[in-house]
Amino acid sequence: MSIMRNFLSMIIMLCVCLNWCFAEGAEKSDSGKVLDSYTIQVSSLFPSSSSCVPSSKASNTKSSLRVVHMHGACSHLSSDARVDHDEIIRRDQARVESIYSKLSKNSANEVSEAKSTELPAKSGITLGSGNYIVTIGIGTPKHDLSLVFDTGSDLTWTQCEPCLGSCYSQKEPKFNPSSSSTYQNVSCSSPMCEDAESCSASNCVYSIVYGDKSFTQGFLAKEKFTLTNSDVLEDVYFGCGENNQGLFDGVAGLLGLGPGKLSLPAQTTTTYNNIFSYCLPSFTSNSTGHLTFGSAGISESVKFTPISSFPSAFNYGIDIIGISVGDKELAITPNSFSTEGAIIDSGTVFTRLPTKVYAELRSVFKEKMSSYKSTSGYGLFDTCYDFTGLDTVTYPTIAFSFAGGTVVELDGSGISLPIKISQVCLAFAGNDDLPAIFGNVQQTTLDVVYDVAGGRVGFAPNGC
């Protein structure tokens, strides 16, 4: 009987863990229902100094790449573990302003429209501050390069030799097309070149200038991309940049995951059905995440919401229909997001909400956190707390409701920005000048699935 009782207990615990819950570590009632708050260790809010723990999903799933946070314990690009929060916030705001500029211009294509507006997802003055990178092999023989991936950009590019203009410093050796037997420049007569900046000796030339005036310029080309030993893609269109400028923090370039025709998912539709997913590890963790192409390994617990073409055909639009803080639903009406809409973005760090919505979220959050000592704000963030001397802290659960009945409860790492133990801030900001943006801090540890062909984005807990 004792053995049977223990077995049944294990089954019950397993079932509870599989319940629809996005707050990792959220406290549950005996019935398994997620409570309105959960308690976490204060030490878990800050970077771990322990060694890197690879994601089991990235290593066990076909067509899956390891994702690391630029400032995390698993990053090989930075020898300095210190995080410059001022710089991250500044770069993130530059990206947000660039998104707004891009939408206001209502441009029609990536290669030309991005010349003055597009900002990718990586820590770099040019790229905003998304901070998530993968390693891909380019060429024959393959040359492994670290690229920041971005759902807000289409064209994949890397720095190339020779640097005819200028090149920024990167960690790995630059890609040399003359050393690859499979490299081909794209002709100006190619349909893929119709939106290009110019031609040079009948070869297609691309040019992208980001919102902060950083840029990449070079030849549109085709090349072999090696994702894993069993996933090799032929004739992938990419930018071979021979004139590049900006602070890219050691990455070699960008992996474009946007909805446009030049993005890697769009180019590999016949192989991966224009489906990809990722899990973003928190920079405070010592683990990796994954970027997976195709439907392999997607959890059955994924809940989907439709992709909206509003506010932009250049980003993945979503419809936010509700937000709750603890046991309180915010007073969100159909008009709360109707003017500018909302997007989900891997490159924007902190979620931006309409000012009135953010003000109510902040008010309820403060009410739920009234037992903790408040302190001064930090940059964009006006709601901060001093956790000095505390071992644990209890947060109210924050959940987003999307069209289609999908409810996403945020992980503990998706609620706060830890500047220092005496200054831990609510990681949301208000802004009325652009669409609401569901940023990557709020996406951490979730399995986020982009079924572009099916016109939907999905979420599941414990994705890494």
Side-chain angles (χ1 to χ4, degrees):
M1 287 296 292
S2 176
I3 295 175
M4 181 60 70
R5 189 180 299 113
N6 291 338
F7 176 75
L8 290 174
S9 297
M10 291 174 63
I11 294 297
I12 291 171
M13 290 177 64
L14 178 61
C15 291
V16 169
C17 289
L18 290 175
N19 277 340
W20 183 239
C21 167
F22 281 90
E24 184 183 55
E27 295 180 358
K28 303 180 182 71
S29 66
D30 293 338
S31 67
K33 181 181 179 181
V34 177
L35 300 180
D36 298 325
S37 62
Y38 56 98
T39 300
I40 60 175
Q41 296 288 324
V42 172
S43 59
S44 71
L45 298 173
F46 295 90
S48 170
S49 59
S50 55
S51 58
C52 178
V53 179
S55 165
S56 59
K57 187 163 186 176
S59 58
N60 296 334
T61 305
K62 188 176 183 294
S63 311
S64 193
L65 303 172
R66 188 180 81 152
V67 170
V68 301
H69 191 288
M70 172 64 71
H71 302 294
C74 299
S75 174
H76 65 288
L77 296 183
S78 176
S79 58
D80 188 351
R82 293 173 298 176
V83 179
D84 186 338
H85 293 97
D86 289 330
E87 187 66 6
I88 288 177
I89 293 170
R90 187 185 73 79
R91 294 174 179 180
D92 195 45
Q93 187 60 24
R95 178 181 177 92
V96 167
E97 291 170 359
S98 177
I99 289 173
Y100 175 65
S101 173
K102 179 178 180 179
L103 295 179
S104 66
K105 290 180 188 232
N106 196 25
S107 302
N109 56 74
E110 151 103 6
V111 176
S112 61
E113 136 261 308
K115 290 187 294 181
S116 60
T117 58
E118 183 176 321
L119 263 163
K122 174 63 228 168
S123 265
I125 285 182
T126 329
L127 296 173
S129 45
N131 300 326
Y132 291 101
I133 57 177
V134 293
T135 299
I136 286 182
I138 299 179
T140 306
K142 75 181 180 76
H143 184 147
D144 287 337
L145 294 167
S146 298
L147 306 176
V148 54
F149 69 89
D150 183 18
T151 59
S153 297
D154 291 338
L155 182 66
T156 296
W157 62 267
T158 185
Q159 293 199 113
C160 288
E161 297 284 6
C163 291
L164 299 181
S166 63
C167 283
Y168 59 86
S169 176
Q170 69 178 57
K171 193 77 169 181
E172 299 114 347
K174 297 177 187 66
F175 178 68
N176 189 338
S178 66
S179 299
S180 172
S181 62
T182 47
Y183 177 88
Q184 304 173 62
N185 282 328
V186 173
S187 167
C188 287
S189 61
S190 168
M192 286 296 187
C193 191
E194 61 186 13
D195 300 323
E197 175 72 8
S198 62
C199 289
S200 175
S202 299
N203 294 319
C204 186
V205 174
Y206 79 95
S207 179
I208 300 176
V209 179
Y210 296 96
D212 64 349
K213 308 307 180 187
S214 300
F215 62 84
T216 175
Q217 185 179 50
F219 291 105
L220 187 65
K222 292 194 296 184
E223 186 54 285
K224 178 185 290 186
F225 276 39
T226 301
L227 305 185
T228 68
N229 290 335
S230 59
D231 283 82
V232 180
L233 308 173
E234 305 286 347
D235 295 333
V236 174
Y237 290 93
F238 80 112
C240 194
E242 296 184 350
N243 188 17
N244 319 284
Q245 192 172 96
L247 300 180
F248 293 83
D249 287 355
V251 296
L254 174 103
L255 178 65
L257 300 178
K261 67 181 181 181
L262 281 172
S263 74
L264 188 62
Q267 290 191 58
T268 56
T269 296
T270 57
T271 304
Y272 302 121
N273 299 314
N274 212 345
I275 297 172
F276 66 95
S277 62
Y278 58 69
C279 179
L280 307 178
S282 165
F283 82 88
T284 63
S285 74
N286 64 332
S287 62
T288 65
H290 72 88
L291 170 62
T292 301
F293 294 93
S295 58
I298 293 178
S299 169
E300 293 182 359
S301 65
V302 172
K303 305 297 183 182
F304 287 95
T305 185
I307 293 175
S308 170
S309 59
F310 178 80
S312 166
F314 315 117
N315 300 88
Y316 296 103
I318 51 176
D319 293 321
I320 301 172
I321 61 175
I323 301 174
S324 63
V325 181
D327 58 355
K328 184 168 183 179
E329 294 280 344
L330 303 189
I332 291 176
T333 69
N335 295 324
S336 296
F337 295 92
S338 63
T339 302
E340 301 293 346
I343 63 173
I344 180 171
D345 186 33
S346 69
T348 300
V349 181
F350 306 106
T351 290
R352 304 306 204 281
L353 297 171
T355 300
K356 290 183 179 179
V357 175
Y358 170 69
E360 188 181 2
L361 182 147
R362 175 185 59 196
S363 176
V364 177
F365 187 82
K366 284 183 174 181
E367 177 186 325
K368 302 294 184 183
M369 296 286 288
S370 60
S371 62
Y372 296 99
K373 180 182 177 182
S374 61
T375 188
S376 59
Y378 189 92
L380 292 173
F381 309 107
D382 54 17
T383 304
C384 303
Y385 296 89
D386 182 352
F387 293 153
T388 302
L390 300 179
D391 293 325
T392 62
V393 60
T394 299
Y395 279 143
T397 300
I398 296 180
F400 278 65
S401 297
F402 299 105
T406 296
V407 178
V408 177
E409 293 175 4
L410 304 185
D411 181 80
S413 60
I415 290 178
S416 60
L417 171 66
I419 307 299
K420 51 189 175 182
I421 197 167
S422 61
Q423 195 174 35
V424 179
C425 303
L426 179 64
F428 295 81
N431 199 325
D432 282 332
D433 293 332
L434 61 153
I437 304 175
F438 192 58
N440 67 43
V441 165
Q442 281 65 41
Q443 297 175 48
T444 52
T445 78
L446 304 179
D447 206 2
V448 184
V449 181
Y450 293 75
D451 179 4
V452 184
R456 58 185 189 165
V457 175
F459 304 88
N462 306 316
C464 295

PDB file of all heavy atoms in Angstrom, residues 261-281:
ATOM      1  N   LYS A 261       9.697  37.934 -47.019  1.00  0.00           N
ATOM      2  CA  LYS A 261      10.110  36.831 -47.899  1.00  0.00           C
ATOM      3  C   LYS A 261      11.581  36.467 -47.768  1.00  0.00           C
ATOM      4  O   LYS A 261      11.980  35.345 -48.122  1.00  0.00           O
ATOM      5  CB  LYS A 261       9.795  37.197 -49.352  1.00  0.00           C
ATOM      6  CG  LYS A 261      10.618  38.364 -49.901  1.00  0.00           C
ATOM      7  CD  LYS A 261      10.224  38.689 -51.337  1.00  0.00           C
ATOM      8  CE  LYS A 261      11.061  39.842 -51.893  1.00  0.00           C
ATOM      9  NZ  LYS A 261      10.671  40.191 -53.278  1.00  0.00           N
ATOM     10  N   LEU A 262      12.422  37.381 -47.281  1.00  0.00           N
ATOM     11  CA  LEU A 262      13.846  37.080 -47.147  1.00  0.00           C
ATOM     12  C   LEU A 262      14.221  36.478 -45.797  1.00  0.00           C
ATOM     13  O   LEU A 262      15.375  36.123 -45.575  1.00  0.00           O
ATOM     14  CB  LEU A 262      14.670  38.355 -47.381  1.00  0.00           C
ATOM     15  CG  LEU A 262      14.875  38.762 -48.839  1.00  0.00           C
ATOM     16  CD1 LEU A 262      15.532  40.133 -48.932  1.00  0.00           C
ATOM     17  CD2 LEU A 262      15.705  37.724 -49.583  1.00  0.00           C
ATOM     18  N   SER A 263      13.254  36.351 -44.886  1.00  0.00           N
ATOM     19  CA  SER A 263      13.576  35.765 -43.577  1.00  0.00           C
ATOM     20  C   SER A 263      13.888  34.284 -43.741  1.00  0.00           C
ATOM     21  O   SER A 263      13.433  33.636 -44.701  1.00  0.00           O
ATOM     22  CB  SER A 263      12.414  35.954 -42.602  1.00  0.00           C
ATOM     23  OG  SER A 263      11.351  35.075 -42.927  1.00  0.00           O
ATOM     24  N   LEU A 264      14.639  33.728 -42.796  1.00  0.00           N
ATOM     25  CA  LEU A 264      15.003  32.309 -42.894  1.00  0.00           C
ATOM     26  C   LEU A 264      13.772  31.406 -42.836  1.00  0.00           C
ATOM     27  O   LEU A 264      13.675  30.453 -43.621  1.00  0.00           O
ATOM     28  CB  LEU A 264      15.999  31.946 -41.787  1.00  0.00           C
ATOM     29  CG  LEU A 264      16.599  30.542 -41.915  1.00  0.00           C
ATOM     30  CD1 LEU A 264      17.391  30.402 -43.212  1.00  0.00           C
ATOM     31  CD2 LEU A 264      17.491  30.226 -40.723  1.00  0.00           C
ATOM     32  N   PRO A 265      12.791  31.644 -41.940  1.00  0.00           N
ATOM     33  CA  PRO A 265      11.599  30.783 -41.954  1.00  0.00           C
ATOM     34  C   PRO A 265      10.855  30.817 -43.289  1.00  0.00           C
ATOM     35  O   PRO A 265      10.377  29.778 -43.763  1.00  0.00           O
ATOM     36  CB  PRO A 265      10.741  31.356 -40.818  1.00  0.00           C
ATOM     37  CG  PRO A 265      11.712  32.011 -39.897  1.00  0.00           C
ATOM     38  CD  PRO A 265      12.765  32.594 -40.804  1.00  0.00           C
ATOM     39  N   ALA A 266      10.756  31.997 -43.905  1.00  0.00           N
ATOM     40  CA  ALA A 266      10.053  32.101 -45.191  1.00  0.00           C
ATOM     41  C   ALA A 266      10.809  31.374 -46.294  1.00  0.00           C
ATOM     42  O   ALA A 266      10.211  30.722 -47.157  1.00  0.00           O
ATOM     43  CB  ALA A 266       9.862  33.571 -45.564  1.00  0.00           C
ATOM     44  N   GLN A 267      12.138  31.468 -46.259  1.00  0.00           N
ATOM     45  CA  GLN A 267      12.945  30.805 -47.284  1.00  0.00           C
ATOM     46  C   GLN A 267      12.929  29.288 -47.147  1.00  0.00           C
ATOM     47  O   GLN A 267      13.184  28.576 -48.126  1.00  0.00           O
ATOM     48  CB  GLN A 267      14.394  31.296 -47.215  1.00  0.00           C
ATOM     49  CG  GLN A 267      14.622  32.718 -47.665  1.00  0.00           C
ATOM     50  CD  GLN A 267      16.104  33.014 -47.807  1.00  0.00           C
ATOM     51  OE1 GLN A 267      16.817  32.346 -48.560  1.00  0.00           O
ATOM     52  NE2 GLN A 267      16.577  34.020 -47.091  1.00  0.00           N
ATOM     53  N   THR A 268      12.663  28.772 -45.965  1.00  0.00           N
ATOM     54  CA  THR A 268      12.724  27.326 -45.719  1.00  0.00           C
ATOM     55  C   THR A 268      11.330  26.736 -45.492  1.00  0.00           C
ATOM     56  O   THR A 268      11.184  25.735 -44.798  1.00  0.00           O
ATOM     57  CB  THR A 268      13.621  27.027 -44.507  1.00  0.00           C
ATOM     58  OG1 THR A 268      13.127  27.751 -43.360  1.00  0.00           O
ATOM     59  CG2 THR A 268      15.050  27.449 -44.774  1.00  0.00           C
ATOM     60  N   THR A 269      10.324  27.362 -46.104  1.00  0.00           N
ATOM     61  CA  THR A 269       8.947  26.900 -45.908  1.00  0.00           C
ATOM     62  C   THR A 269       8.772  25.435 -46.298  1.00  0.00           C
ATOM     63  O   THR A 269       8.073  24.676 -45.615  1.00  0.00           O
ATOM     64  CB  THR A 269       7.971  27.778 -46.719  1.00  0.00           C
ATOM     65  OG1 THR A 269       8.017  29.110 -46.212  1.00  0.00           O
ATOM     66  CG2 THR A 269       6.549  27.259 -46.624  1.00  0.00           C
ATOM     67  N   THR A 270       9.384  25.014 -47.386  1.00  0.00           N
ATOM     68  CA  THR A 270       9.209  23.633 -47.826  1.00  0.00           C
ATOM     69  C   THR A 270       9.838  22.640 -46.859  1.00  0.00           C
ATOM     70  O   THR A 270       9.445  21.477 -46.820  1.00  0.00           O
ATOM     71  CB  THR A 270       9.815  23.425 -49.224  1.00  0.00           C
ATOM     72  OG1 THR A 270      11.205  23.797 -49.202  1.00  0.00           O
ATOM     73  CG2 THR A 270       9.082  24.264 -50.263  1.00  0.00           C
ATOM     74  N   THR A 271      10.806  23.090 -46.078  1.00  0.00           N
ATOM     75  CA  THR A 271      11.479  22.206 -45.115  1.00  0.00           C
ATOM     76  C   THR A 271      10.822  22.250 -43.744  1.00  0.00           C
ATOM     77  O   THR A 271      10.577  21.212 -43.123  1.00  0.00           O
ATOM     78  CB  THR A 271      12.966  22.598 -44.983  1.00  0.00           C
ATOM     79  OG1 THR A 271      13.586  22.569 -46.264  1.00  0.00           O
ATOM     80  CG2 THR A 271      13.692  21.640 -44.031  1.00  0.00           C
ATOM     81  N   TYR A 272      10.524  23.465 -43.270  1.00  0.00           N
ATOM     82  CA  TYR A 272      10.032  23.623 -41.900  1.00  0.00           C
ATOM     83  C   TYR A 272       8.607  24.185 -41.817  1.00  0.00           C
ATOM     84  O   TYR A 272       8.135  24.499 -40.720  1.00  0.00           O
ATOM     85  CB  TYR A 272      10.977  24.545 -41.117  1.00  0.00           C
ATOM     86  CG  TYR A 272      12.399  24.048 -41.061  1.00  0.00           C
ATOM     87  CD1 TYR A 272      13.454  24.824 -41.561  1.00  0.00           C
ATOM     88  CD2 TYR A 272      12.704  22.802 -40.524  1.00  0.00           C
ATOM     89  CE1 TYR A 272      14.761  24.378 -41.510  1.00  0.00           C
ATOM     90  CE2 TYR A 272      14.020  22.345 -40.486  1.00  0.00           C
ATOM     91  CZ  TYR A 272      15.033  23.142 -40.971  1.00  0.00           C
ATOM     92  OH  TYR A 272      16.335  22.696 -40.923  1.00  0.00           O
ATOM     93  N   ASN A 273       7.933  24.319 -42.965  1.00  0.00           N
ATOM     94  CA  ASN A 273       6.533  24.763 -42.999  1.00  0.00           C
ATOM     95  C   ASN A 273       6.325  26.149 -42.393  1.00  0.00           C
ATOM     96  O   ASN A 273       5.236  26.458 -41.908  1.00  0.00           O
ATOM     97  CB  ASN A 273       5.627  23.752 -42.294  1.00  0.00           C
ATOM     98  CG  ASN A 273       5.674  22.388 -42.959  1.00  0.00           C
ATOM     99  OD1 ASN A 273       5.593  22.274 -44.176  1.00  0.00           O
ATOM    100  ND2 ASN A 273       5.833  21.347 -42.148  1.00  0.00           N
ATOM    101  N   ASN A 274       7.372  26.976 -42.416  1.00  0.00           N
ATOM    102  CA  ASN A 274       7.306  28.331 -41.858  1.00  0.00           C
ATOM    103  C   ASN A 274       6.853  28.311 -40.399  1.00  0.00           C
ATOM    104  O   ASN A 274       6.014  29.102 -39.964  1.00  0.00           O
ATOM    105  CB  ASN A 274       6.384  29.223 -42.690  1.00  0.00           C
ATOM    106  CG  ASN A 274       6.833  30.681 -42.688  1.00  0.00           C
ATOM    107  OD1 ASN A 274       7.646  31.092 -41.866  1.00  0.00           O
ATOM    108  ND2 ASN A 274       6.301  31.468 -43.608  1.00  0.00           N
ATOM    109  N   ILE A 275       7.424  27.381 -39.672  1.00  0.00           N
ATOM    110  CA  ILE A 275       7.177  27.261 -38.230  1.00  0.00           C
ATOM    111  C   ILE A 275       8.521  27.318 -37.507  1.00  0.00           C
ATOM    112  O   ILE A 275       9.480  26.657 -37.908  1.00  0.00           O
ATOM    113  CB  ILE A 275       6.471  25.934 -37.885  1.00  0.00           C
ATOM    114  CG1 ILE A 275       5.082  25.865 -38.529  1.00  0.00           C
ATOM    115  CG2 ILE A 275       6.345  25.749 -36.379  1.00  0.00           C
ATOM    116  CD1 ILE A 275       4.413  24.508 -38.376  1.00  0.00           C
ATOM    117  N   PHE A 276       8.597  28.125 -36.463  1.00  0.00           N
ATOM    118  CA  PHE A 276       9.764  28.109 -35.598  1.00  0.00           C
ATOM    119  C   PHE A 276       9.329  28.425 -34.176  1.00  0.00           C
ATOM    120  O   PHE A 276       8.231  28.956 -33.940  1.00  0.00           O
ATOM    121  CB  PHE A 276      10.852  29.090 -36.069  1.00  0.00           C
ATOM    122  CG  PHE A 276      10.468  30.542 -35.986  1.00  0.00           C
ATOM    123  CD1 PHE A 276      10.816  31.306 -34.879  1.00  0.00           C
ATOM    124  CD2 PHE A 276       9.779  31.168 -37.019  1.00  0.00           C
ATOM    125  CE1 PHE A 276      10.470  32.658 -34.796  1.00  0.00           C
ATOM    126  CE2 PHE A 276       9.437  32.513 -36.952  1.00  0.00           C
ATOM    127  CZ  PHE A 276       9.783  33.267 -35.841  1.00  0.00           C
ATOM    128  N   SER A 277      10.162  28.066 -33.232  1.00  0.00           N
ATOM    129  CA  SER A 277       9.848  28.328 -31.819  1.00  0.00           C
ATOM    130  C   SER A 277      11.133  28.623 -31.070  1.00  0.00           C
ATOM    131  O   SER A 277      12.227  28.283 -31.525  1.00  0.00           O
ATOM    132  CB  SER A 277       9.128  27.132 -31.189  1.00  0.00           C
ATOM    133  OG  SER A 277       9.948  25.961 -31.215  1.00  0.00           O
ATOM    134  N   TYR A 278      10.985  29.283 -29.930  1.00  0.00           N
ATOM    135  CA  TYR A 278      12.159  29.538 -29.105  1.00  0.00           C
ATOM    136  C   TYR A 278      11.775  29.582 -27.638  1.00  0.00           C
ATOM    137  O   TYR A 278      10.611  29.767 -27.274  1.00  0.00           O
ATOM    138  CB  TYR A 278      12.876  30.836 -29.518  1.00  0.00           C
ATOM    139  CG  TYR A 278      12.049  32.099 -29.480  1.00  0.00           C
ATOM    140  CD1 TYR A 278      11.607  32.663 -28.278  1.00  0.00           C
ATOM    141  CD2 TYR A 278      11.733  32.781 -30.664  1.00  0.00           C
ATOM    142  CE1 TYR A 278      10.872  33.841 -28.247  1.00  0.00           C
ATOM    143  CE2 TYR A 278      10.990  33.955 -30.645  1.00  0.00           C
ATOM    144  CZ  TYR A 278      10.564  34.481 -29.440  1.00  0.00           C
ATOM    145  OH  TYR A 278       9.840  35.646 -29.415  1.00  0.00           O
ATOM    146  N   CYS A 279      12.788  29.398 -26.812  1.00  0.00           N
ATOM    147  CA  CYS A 279      12.684  29.685 -25.393  1.00  0.00           C
ATOM    148  C   CYS A 279      13.876  30.545 -25.025  1.00  0.00           C
ATOM    149  O   CYS A 279      15.029  30.210 -25.347  1.00  0.00           O
ATOM    150  CB  CYS A 279      12.680  28.410 -24.542  1.00  0.00           C
ATOM    151  SG  CYS A 279      12.581  28.765 -22.755  1.00  0.00           S
ATOM    152  N   LEU A 280      13.608  31.673 -24.369  1.00  0.00           N
ATOM    153  CA  LEU A 280      14.649  32.629 -23.997  1.00  0.00           C
ATOM    154  C   LEU A 280      14.999  32.460 -22.521  1.00  0.00           C
ATOM    155  O   LEU A 280      14.137  32.648 -21.661  1.00  0.00           O
ATOM    156  CB  LEU A 280      14.165  34.056 -24.245  1.00  0.00           C
ATOM    157  CG  LEU A 280      13.623  34.358 -25.642  1.00  0.00           C
ATOM    158  CD1 LEU A 280      13.135  35.803 -25.716  1.00  0.00           C
ATOM    159  CD2 LEU A 280      14.681  34.078 -26.706  1.00  0.00           C
ATOM    160  N   PRO A 281      16.246  32.101 -22.211  1.00  0.00           N
ATOM    161  CA  PRO A 281      16.634  31.996 -20.807  1.00  0.00           C
ATOM    162  C   PRO A 281      16.828  33.382 -20.196  1.00  0.00           C
ATOM    163  O   PRO A 281      17.214  34.326 -20.883  1.00  0.00           O
ATOM    164  CB  PRO A 281      17.970  31.253 -20.873  1.00  0.00           C
ATOM    165  CG  PRO A 281      18.548  31.657 -22.196  1.00  0.00           C
ATOM    166  CD  PRO A 281      17.366  31.807 -23.129  1.00  0.00           C
TER     167      PRO A 281
END
